[in-house]
């Protein structure tokens, strides 16, 4: 669901569980899915399953958000229904922070966030909110502001009351900066998110079909496949397709970087060079922007993730695969996939995955590692995480068509001997890939790109620059002078000419200074 | 030509002799008994068939051979358990004698591991061409001896099956280079490997595109146009040409389907039966190959011989 496209991670838990099963979970993960505030959320009874999550202590503590459990809260009611006067019946429950180990009391009725807010606002001296902010802003004020990990984040079901800390407690004990993450959220939701995904692999492995199935948009409508004659003289190109997707108020600017021509020629030596050059170029662009004077609107075009398609017809990794991954593993997060997995029987898939994992270790390739889940997660969640790690590399199937299977319309491929369903977990790992890429690890991928790969590049660049500067006696410039990646001979010549001019002018300036001093 | 002096080949695609008026028979002579004599001789001598399989690793070459000849002709390497791909192209030959209904077939299979698996596959077809020419050379040497053996051991490659990976797009540059070079020397039969990853529509579209590519690059695959003199042959050949490249699925595991035991691949969404009518045509291929390739091989041989004498 596109509503799950977020800068933060999303938990994969669906459907909601009843509160009796919930038990207690410590804060430490967060996950927020800000919902667009509906113009008037329906009456309490008609609350749909939404997922609002209160950013928890982990955000405050600055830890990386990890896979979280989904918690659900009903959507806030419209403001009008909030004004119900004093708490009535089941609503007359005070909200208490729940400690770890304590089961959540059974709650009934609709204790709605809006209610609490309004109650609060009735107090003297408090200004009423001007516009109706989103439901999660209501939450912001009821956040359990304690910063220790024992405080709990709520887990409620729709149509069940949520438990909040009481207002008096909030005012007295807590400062309220626990709302910061929410504010950051609001801002980033307004700004929208962006994600750059690269797909690489030989042609004919189903890359465009998979992208279509993942994002449910047809980016390749006008694609013309090259004929055999044209392919003979084809070189590796880089093609970018950008599309703006919006789902439930969350905007995502998705960029898919395609690499047609990779691995198709007879001689594929260094066929990954254009790709490494492109990745470096994006890093360099970001570096320049970051070091520049105006940093307001830096466009992040860095490649956040690279899906590498391994052919299922081989016996593991081919030399081209190894060459590509070794050239790019320090620059971009590589997620290896087994393409067209519908041509393999389950035992073959298992053996191939083992084989690929062995070869990745053998060749020392650093593919993207899923972050470890914390030790205090519940078993279910740990189990899911384990399953995810064990299924890597994912064996995926993509499909552009929707077929009828068992009376339902599913995305799949129709063969004379059966129907392969793309979203059936027993048939392939597509769902796992989608969840990992979009719903749970999208932000982590971006983080690793920024923190690890970009930093490596930057450190390397600065080192090179400083060594260069000590070698030549060039004038220091505020913006780092880096060799442009474009191998265009003309522009290089121009650059050299300009450099010469600059040097001459500097020399003249020096001479003039000298003359002035002498005089 | 005397109709009695027929050649000893089991199938003849020689051009029919010019019509001599048949003379009237006054009684039953028993000429047709010659056919029985030919049969007995053929069964005693047995046949020889040399097949070469070329393609990237993992495309199911050995599985297809086993399925084709219904026996463990070649030891299959399961995906995940194979040896690392060799750095240079090697050629490995294995000979088996298989028997069916009293007819013996000496089958020699040549595999080419390492073909197209490297990063730089330039000139990877040279060892293959070298091997084929070597076999022709050997036969020629035996043939031009003054005292020839009665039956020269025939190691010439009668057929080369080329496995095209099922990308669904068109022939790759490597495929085109290889096919162009080899179609002049040996009978090439292109085959779409692992066709169970293509739906029926994709398969047909892929087949048409490959046929178009073959025509554009003047690649003459088997059956070549020069065998089309006889009207029956022409009909049969055109039917075959329509189905080339064959889409094959090899299977060597048995499964129970509706009470019968079939060779197939069992997945979570169904069982793909190997050789059955209407499916990837491995059966058709066998008939095609064994029957006519032997004769076609002779034509290729003749061409090669002429060429080698002229140089």
């Amino acid at each position: 669901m596109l509503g799950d496209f977020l800068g933060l991670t999303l938990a994969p838990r669906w459907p909601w569980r009843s509160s009796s099963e919930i038990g207690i979970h410590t804060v430490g993960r967060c996950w927020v899915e800000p919902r667009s505030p509906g113009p008037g959320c329906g009456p309490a009874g008609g609350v749909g399953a939404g997922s609002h999550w209160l950013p928890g202590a982990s955000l405050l503590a600055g830890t990386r958000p990890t896979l979280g459990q989904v918690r659900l809260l009903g959507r806030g009611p419209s403001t009008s229904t909030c004004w119900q006067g004093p708490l009535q019946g089941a609503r007359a429950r005070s909200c208490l922070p729940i400690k770890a180990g304590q089961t959540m009391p059974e709650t009934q009725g609709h204790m709605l966030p809006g209610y609490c807010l309004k109650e609060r606002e009735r107090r003297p001296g408090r200004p009423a909110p001007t516009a109706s902010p989103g439901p999660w802003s209501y939450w912001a004020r009821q956040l359990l502001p304690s910063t220790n990990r024992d405080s709990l984040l709520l887990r409620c079901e729709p149509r069940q009351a949520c438990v909040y800390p009481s207002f008096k407690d909030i005012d007295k004990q807590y400062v309220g900066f626990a709302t910061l993450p929410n504010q950051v959220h609001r801002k980033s939701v307004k700004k929208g998110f962006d994600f750059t995904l690269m797909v690489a692999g030989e042609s004919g492995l189903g890359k465009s079909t998979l992208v279509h199935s993942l994002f449910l948009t047809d980016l390749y409508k006008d694609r013309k496949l090259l004929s055999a004659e044209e392919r003979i003289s084809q070189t590796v190109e880089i093609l970018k397709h950008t599309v703006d997707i919006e789902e439930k108020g969350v905007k995502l600017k998705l960029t898919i970087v395609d690499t047609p021509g990779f691995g198709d020629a007879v001689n594929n030596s260094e066929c990954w060079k254009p790709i490494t050059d492109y990745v470096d170029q994006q890093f360099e662009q970001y570096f320049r922007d970051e070091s520049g004077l105006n940093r307001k609107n830096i466009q992040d075009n860095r490649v956040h993730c690279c899906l590498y398609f391994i052919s299922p017809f081989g016996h593991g990794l081919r030399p081209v695969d190894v060459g590509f991954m070794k050239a790019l593993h320090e620059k971009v997060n590589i997620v290896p996939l087994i393409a067209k997995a519908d041509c393999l029987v389950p035992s073959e898939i298992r053996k191939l995955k083992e084989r690929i994992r062995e070869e990745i270790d053998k060749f020392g390739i650093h593919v993207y590692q899923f972050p470890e889940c914390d030790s205090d997660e519940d078993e279910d969640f740990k189990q899911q995480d384990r399953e995810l790690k064990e299924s890597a590399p994912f064996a995926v199937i993509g499909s552009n068509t929707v077929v009828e299977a068992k009376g339902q319309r599913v995305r799949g491929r129709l063969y004379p001997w059966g129907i392969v369903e793309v979203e059936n977990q027993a048939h392939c790992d597509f769902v796992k890939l989608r969840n990992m890429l979009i719903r749970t690890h999208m932000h982590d991928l971006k983080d690793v790109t920024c923190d690890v790969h970009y930093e490596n590049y930057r450190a390397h660049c600065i080192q090179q620059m400083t060594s260069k500067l000590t070698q030549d006696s060039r004038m220091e410039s505020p913006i780092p002078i880096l060799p442009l990646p474009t191998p265009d001979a003309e522009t290089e010549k121009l650059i050299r000419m300009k450099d010469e001019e600059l040097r001459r002018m500097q020399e003249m300036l020096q001479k003039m200074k000298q003359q002035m001093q002498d005089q | 030509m005397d109709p009695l002096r027929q050649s000893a080949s089991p199938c003849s695609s020689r051009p029919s002799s010019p019509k001599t008026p048949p003379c009237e028979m006054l009684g039953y002579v028993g000429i047709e008994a010659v056919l029985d004599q030919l049969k007995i001789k053929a069964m005693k001598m047995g046949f020889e068939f040399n097949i070469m399989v070329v393609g990237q690793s993992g495309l199911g070459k050995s599985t297809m051979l086993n399925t084709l000849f219904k026996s463990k002709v070649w030891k299959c390497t399961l995906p995940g358990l194979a040896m690392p791909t060799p750095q240079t192209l090697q050629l490995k030959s294995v000979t088996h004698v298989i028997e069916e209904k009293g007819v013996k077939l000496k089958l020699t299979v040549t595999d080419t591991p390492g073909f197209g698996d490297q990063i730089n596959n330039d000139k990877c077809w040279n060892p293959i061409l070298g091997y084929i020419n070597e076999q022709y050379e050997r036969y020629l040497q035996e043939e031009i001896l003054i005292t020839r053996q009665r039956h020269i051991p025939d190691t010439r490659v009668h057929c080369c099956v080329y496995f095209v990976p099922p990308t669904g797009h068109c022939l790759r540059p490597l495929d085109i280079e290889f096919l162009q070079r080899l179609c002049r020397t040996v009978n090439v039969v292109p085959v779409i490997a692992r066709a169970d990853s293509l739906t029926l529509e994709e398969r047909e579209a892929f087949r048409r595109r490959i046929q178009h590519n073959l025509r554009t690059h003047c690649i003459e695959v088997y059956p070549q146009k020069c065998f089309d003199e006889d009207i029956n042959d022409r009909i049969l050949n055109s039917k075959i040409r329509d189905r080339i490249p064959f889409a094959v699925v090899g299977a060597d595991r048995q499964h129970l389907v509706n009470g019968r035991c079939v060779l197939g691949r069992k997945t979570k969404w169904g069982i793909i039966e190997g050789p059955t009518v209407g499916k990837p045509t491995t059966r058709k291929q066998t008939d095609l190959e064994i029957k006519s390739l032997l004769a076609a091989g002779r034509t290729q041989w003749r061409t090669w011989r002429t060429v080698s004498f002229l140089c």
Side-chain angles (χ1 to χ4, degrees), chain A residues 53-92:
Chain A
W53 230 190
L54 304 182
S58 65
L59 263 188
L60 299 172
T63 57
R64 215 157 58 140
T66 55
L67 264 183
Q69 291 143 342
V70 172
R71 316 292 160 122
L72 173 263
L73 312 170
R75 261 192 291 174
S78 62
T79 50
S80 55
T81 59
C82 289
W83 293 98
Q84 304 251 335
L87 294 170
Q88 291 171 24
R91 299 179 189 198

Short mmCIF file of all heavy atoms in Angstrom, two decimals, chain A residues 53-92:
data_model
loop_
_atom_site.label_atom_id
_atom_site.label_comp_id
_atom_site.label_asym_id
_atom_site.label_seq_id
_atom_site.Cartn_x
_atom_site.Cartn_y
_atom_site.Cartn_z
N TRP A 53 1.04 5.68 14.78
CA TRP A 53 1.92 5.22 15.71
C TRP A 53 2.59 6.32 16.36
O TRP A 53 2.94 7.25 15.75
CB TRP A 53 2.96 4.48 14.98
CG TRP A 53 3.10 3.27 15.59
CD1 TRP A 53 4.03 2.45 15.33
CD2 TRP A 53 2.25 2.76 16.56
NE1 TRP A 53 3.82 1.45 16.08
CE2 TRP A 53 2.74 1.55 16.86
CE3 TRP A 53 1.10 3.19 17.21
CZ2 TRP A 53 2.18 0.74 17.77
CZ3 TRP A 53 0.53 2.36 18.11
CH2 TRP A 53 1.10 1.15 18.38
N LEU A 54 2.78 6.16 17.55
CA LEU A 54 3.41 7.22 18.27
C LEU A 54 4.88 6.99 18.20
O LEU A 54 5.35 5.93 18.52
CB LEU A 54 2.98 7.18 19.71
CG LEU A 54 1.48 7.24 19.80
CD1 LEU A 54 1.07 7.25 21.24
CD2 LEU A 54 0.99 8.50 19.14
N PRO A 55 5.55 7.97 17.83
CA PRO A 55 6.99 7.78 17.81
C PRO A 55 7.41 7.49 19.23
O PRO A 55 6.91 8.06 20.17
CB PRO A 55 7.53 9.13 17.37
CG PRO A 55 6.39 9.82 16.79
CD PRO A 55 5.15 9.29 17.41
N GLY A 56 8.25 6.59 19.34
CA GLY A 56 8.58 6.15 20.68
C GLY A 56 9.91 6.64 21.12
O GLY A 56 10.57 7.45 20.50
N ALA A 57 10.30 6.08 22.19
CA ALA A 57 11.52 6.54 22.81
C ALA A 57 12.71 6.34 21.91
O ALA A 57 13.68 7.05 22.00
CB ALA A 57 11.72 5.81 24.12
N SER A 58 12.61 5.39 21.05
CA SER A 58 13.81 5.12 20.26
C SER A 58 14.14 6.29 19.37
O SER A 58 15.28 6.62 19.17
CB SER A 58 13.61 3.87 19.42
OG SER A 58 12.60 4.12 18.50
N LEU A 59 13.11 6.93 18.89
CA LEU A 59 13.39 8.09 18.06
C LEU A 59 14.04 9.16 18.90
O LEU A 59 14.95 9.84 18.50
CB LEU A 59 12.10 8.65 17.48
CG LEU A 59 11.76 8.21 16.08
CD1 LEU A 59 10.58 8.99 15.59
CD2 LEU A 59 12.93 8.41 15.16
N LEU A 60 13.49 9.28 20.09
CA LEU A 60 14.03 10.32 20.94
C LEU A 60 15.46 10.01 21.28
O LEU A 60 16.30 10.87 21.36
CB LEU A 60 13.20 10.39 22.23
CG LEU A 60 11.74 10.72 21.99
CD1 LEU A 60 10.96 10.59 23.26
CD2 LEU A 60 11.62 12.12 21.45
N ALA A 61 15.69 8.72 21.48
CA ALA A 61 17.05 8.38 21.84
C ALA A 61 17.96 8.44 20.65
O ALA A 61 19.16 8.26 20.76
CB ALA A 61 17.08 6.98 22.46
N GLY A 62 17.39 8.67 19.50
CA GLY A 62 18.25 8.82 18.33
C GLY A 62 18.63 7.51 17.70
O GLY A 62 19.48 7.45 16.84
N THR A 63 18.01 6.42 18.14
CA THR A 63 18.38 5.16 17.49
C THR A 63 17.67 5.04 16.17
O THR A 63 16.71 5.73 15.90
CB THR A 63 17.98 3.96 18.36
OG1 THR A 63 16.57 4.06 18.60
CG2 THR A 63 18.71 3.98 19.67
N ARG A 64 18.14 4.13 15.40
CA ARG A 64 17.58 3.96 14.08
C ARG A 64 16.25 3.24 14.20
O ARG A 64 16.17 2.26 14.89
CB ARG A 64 18.53 3.09 13.28
CG ARG A 64 18.60 3.43 11.85
CD ARG A 64 19.88 2.94 11.33
NE ARG A 64 20.01 1.51 11.54
CZ ARG A 64 20.52 0.70 10.64
NH1 ARG A 64 20.90 1.17 9.50
NH2 ARG A 64 20.67 -0.57 10.88
N PRO A 65 15.26 3.76 13.58
CA PRO A 65 13.97 3.05 13.65
C PRO A 65 14.11 1.68 12.99
O PRO A 65 14.75 1.56 11.97
CB PRO A 65 13.02 3.94 12.85
CG PRO A 65 13.82 4.97 12.22
CD PRO A 65 15.20 4.94 12.76
N THR A 66 13.56 0.72 13.61
CA THR A 66 13.66 -0.62 13.05
C THR A 66 12.28 -1.15 12.80
O THR A 66 11.30 -0.48 13.02
CB THR A 66 14.37 -1.55 14.04
OG1 THR A 66 13.66 -1.47 15.26
CG2 THR A 66 15.79 -1.12 14.24
N LEU A 67 12.26 -2.35 12.41
CA LEU A 67 10.99 -3.00 12.15
C LEU A 67 10.13 -2.90 13.38
O LEU A 67 10.56 -3.26 14.46
CB LEU A 67 11.22 -4.47 11.91
CG LEU A 67 11.33 -4.90 10.46
CD1 LEU A 67 11.47 -6.38 10.42
CD2 LEU A 67 10.08 -4.51 9.71
N GLY A 68 8.97 -2.44 13.21
CA GLY A 68 8.17 -2.26 14.41
C GLY A 68 6.95 -3.11 14.35
O GLY A 68 6.64 -3.74 13.37
N GLN A 69 6.27 -3.13 15.38
CA GLN A 69 5.01 -3.82 15.39
C GLN A 69 3.97 -2.81 15.04
O GLN A 69 4.06 -1.65 15.37
CB GLN A 69 4.73 -4.36 16.78
CG GLN A 69 5.69 -5.47 17.09
CD GLN A 69 6.09 -5.41 18.51
OE1 GLN A 69 5.90 -4.38 19.15
NE2 GLN A 69 6.63 -6.47 19.02
N VAL A 70 3.01 -3.29 14.37
CA VAL A 70 2.01 -2.35 13.98
C VAL A 70 1.10 -2.13 15.10
O VAL A 70 0.69 -3.02 15.77
CB VAL A 70 1.19 -2.93 12.90
CG1 VAL A 70 0.08 -2.04 12.65
CG2 VAL A 70 2.04 -2.99 11.70
N ARG A 71 0.80 -0.95 15.26
CA ARG A 71 -0.13 -0.68 16.30
C ARG A 71 -1.18 0.06 15.61
O ARG A 71 -0.96 0.81 14.72
CB ARG A 71 0.46 0.24 17.27
CG ARG A 71 1.86 -0.12 17.59
CD ARG A 71 2.02 -1.22 18.24
NE ARG A 71 3.33 -1.72 18.11
CZ ARG A 71 4.08 -1.94 19.09
NH1 ARG A 71 3.75 -1.59 20.20
NH2 ARG A 71 5.21 -2.49 18.95
N LEU A 72 -2.29 -0.12 16.07
CA LEU A 72 -3.31 0.55 15.39
C LEU A 72 -4.12 1.38 16.24
O LEU A 72 -4.45 1.07 17.32
CB LEU A 72 -4.21 -0.42 14.81
CG LEU A 72 -5.28 0.28 14.30
CD1 LEU A 72 -6.31 0.26 15.21
CD2 LEU A 72 -4.96 1.61 13.86
N LEU A 73 -4.43 2.46 15.72
CA LEU A 73 -5.34 3.33 16.44
C LEU A 73 -6.40 3.70 15.48
O LEU A 73 -6.18 3.82 14.32
CB LEU A 73 -4.63 4.60 16.82
CG LEU A 73 -3.30 4.25 17.45
CD1 LEU A 73 -2.52 5.50 17.60
CD2 LEU A 73 -3.52 3.66 18.79
N GLY A 74 -7.49 3.93 16.03
CA GLY A 74 -8.56 4.36 15.14
C GLY A 74 -8.27 5.76 14.70
O GLY A 74 -7.48 6.47 15.30
N ARG A 75 -8.88 6.13 13.67
CA ARG A 75 -8.71 7.51 13.23
C ARG A 75 -9.42 8.41 14.20
O ARG A 75 -10.44 8.04 14.76
CB ARG A 75 -9.35 7.67 11.87
CG ARG A 75 -8.32 7.59 10.79
CD ARG A 75 -8.90 8.03 9.51
NE ARG A 75 -9.87 7.09 9.03
CZ ARG A 75 -10.59 7.33 7.96
NH1 ARG A 75 -10.46 8.45 7.32
NH2 ARG A 75 -11.47 6.46 7.55
N GLY A 76 -8.89 9.55 14.34
CA GLY A 76 -9.53 10.48 15.27
C GLY A 76 -10.89 10.87 14.72
O GLY A 76 -11.08 10.93 13.52
N PRO A 77 -11.77 11.12 15.52
CA PRO A 77 -13.10 11.52 15.06
C PRO A 77 -13.07 12.97 14.65
O PRO A 77 -12.09 13.65 14.89
CB PRO A 77 -13.96 11.36 16.31
CG PRO A 77 -12.99 11.66 17.39
CD PRO A 77 -11.65 11.17 16.94
N SER A 78 -14.08 13.38 14.08
CA SER A 78 -14.13 14.80 13.72
C SER A 78 -14.19 15.60 14.99
O SER A 78 -14.59 15.11 16.05
CB SER A 78 -15.35 15.07 12.87
OG SER A 78 -16.49 14.77 13.63
N THR A 79 -13.79 16.81 14.85
CA THR A 79 -13.69 17.61 16.07
C THR A 79 -15.05 17.79 16.71
O THR A 79 -15.17 17.87 17.91
CB THR A 79 -13.10 18.98 15.75
OG1 THR A 79 -13.85 19.50 14.63
CG2 THR A 79 -11.65 18.84 15.33
N SER A 80 -16.06 17.80 15.90
CA SER A 80 -17.37 18.07 16.50
C SER A 80 -17.76 16.99 17.47
O SER A 80 -18.30 17.25 18.52
CB SER A 80 -18.42 18.21 15.40
OG SER A 80 -18.37 17.05 14.60
N THR A 81 -17.49 15.77 17.13
CA THR A 81 -17.92 14.72 18.04
C THR A 81 -17.07 14.70 19.29
O THR A 81 -17.38 14.02 20.24
CB THR A 81 -17.84 13.35 17.37
OG1 THR A 81 -16.48 13.15 16.97
CG2 THR A 81 -18.73 13.28 16.16
N CYS A 82 -15.98 15.41 19.24
CA CYS A 82 -15.16 15.40 20.43
C CYS A 82 -15.78 16.19 21.53
O CYS A 82 -15.55 15.93 22.69
CB CYS A 82 -13.80 16.00 20.14
SG CYS A 82 -12.86 14.93 19.13
N TRP A 83 -16.52 17.16 21.14
CA TRP A 83 -17.08 18.02 22.17
C TRP A 83 -18.28 17.34 22.79
O TRP A 83 -19.39 17.61 22.45
CB TRP A 83 -17.49 19.35 21.57
CG TRP A 83 -16.29 20.09 21.11
CD1 TRP A 83 -15.80 20.15 19.86
CD2 TRP A 83 -15.44 20.86 21.93
NE1 TRP A 83 -14.70 20.93 19.83
CE2 TRP A 83 -14.44 21.39 21.10
CE3 TRP A 83 -15.41 21.19 23.28
CZ2 TRP A 83 -13.44 22.19 21.56
CZ3 TRP A 83 -14.39 22.00 23.73
CH2 TRP A 83 -13.41 22.50 22.88
N GLN A 84 -17.98 16.43 23.60
CA GLN A 84 -19.08 15.69 24.18
C GLN A 84 -19.25 16.00 25.65
O GLN A 84 -19.91 15.30 26.38
CB GLN A 84 -18.82 14.20 24.05
CG GLN A 84 -18.59 13.79 22.62
CD GLN A 84 -19.74 13.00 22.10
OE1 GLN A 84 -20.46 12.39 22.87
NE2 GLN A 84 -19.94 13.02 20.80
N GLY A 85 -18.56 16.97 26.07
CA GLY A 85 -18.72 17.27 27.49
C GLY A 85 -17.81 16.38 28.29
O GLY A 85 -16.89 15.75 27.77
N PRO A 86 -18.06 16.29 29.51
CA PRO A 86 -17.17 15.52 30.37
C PRO A 86 -17.17 14.05 29.95
O PRO A 86 -18.08 13.57 29.32
CB PRO A 86 -17.74 15.70 31.78
CG PRO A 86 -19.12 16.19 31.58
CD PRO A 86 -19.17 16.88 30.26
N LEU A 87 -16.19 13.41 30.38
CA LEU A 87 -16.03 12.01 30.01
C LEU A 87 -17.24 11.23 30.45
O LEU A 87 -17.71 11.37 31.56
CB LEU A 87 -14.81 11.44 30.71
CG LEU A 87 -13.49 12.03 30.26
CD1 LEU A 87 -12.39 11.57 31.17
CD2 LEU A 87 -13.21 11.63 28.84
N GLN A 88 -17.69 10.38 29.56
CA GLN A 88 -18.88 9.63 29.90
C GLN A 88 -18.58 8.16 29.85
O GLN A 88 -17.88 7.69 28.97
CB GLN A 88 -19.96 9.89 28.87
CG GLN A 88 -20.49 11.28 28.92
CD GLN A 88 -21.38 11.51 27.74
OE1 GLN A 88 -21.93 10.58 27.17
NE2 GLN A 88 -21.53 12.77 27.37
N GLY A 89 -19.14 7.48 30.77
CA GLY A 89 -19.10 6.02 30.71
C GLY A 89 -17.69 5.51 30.55
O GLY A 89 -16.77 5.85 31.29
N ALA A 90 -17.52 4.73 29.53
CA ALA A 90 -16.23 4.09 29.34
C ALA A 90 -15.14 5.10 29.07
O ALA A 90 -13.98 4.83 29.22
CB ALA A 90 -16.31 3.11 28.18
N ARG A 91 -15.56 6.22 28.62
CA ARG A 91 -14.53 7.20 28.33
C ARG A 91 -13.96 7.80 29.58
O ARG A 91 -12.97 8.50 29.54
CB ARG A 91 -15.12 8.32 27.48
CG ARG A 91 -15.61 7.75 26.21
CD ARG A 91 -16.20 8.80 25.39
NE ARG A 91 -16.85 8.16 24.26
CZ ARG A 91 -17.17 8.82 23.18
NH1 ARG A 91 -16.91 10.09 23.11
NH2 ARG A 91 -17.75 8.20 22.21
N ALA A 92 -14.64 7.53 30.67
CA ALA A 92 -14.17 8.16 31.90
C ALA A 92 -13.01 7.38 32.45
O ALA A 92 -12.99 6.92 33.56
CB ALA A 92 -15.29 8.21 32.91
#
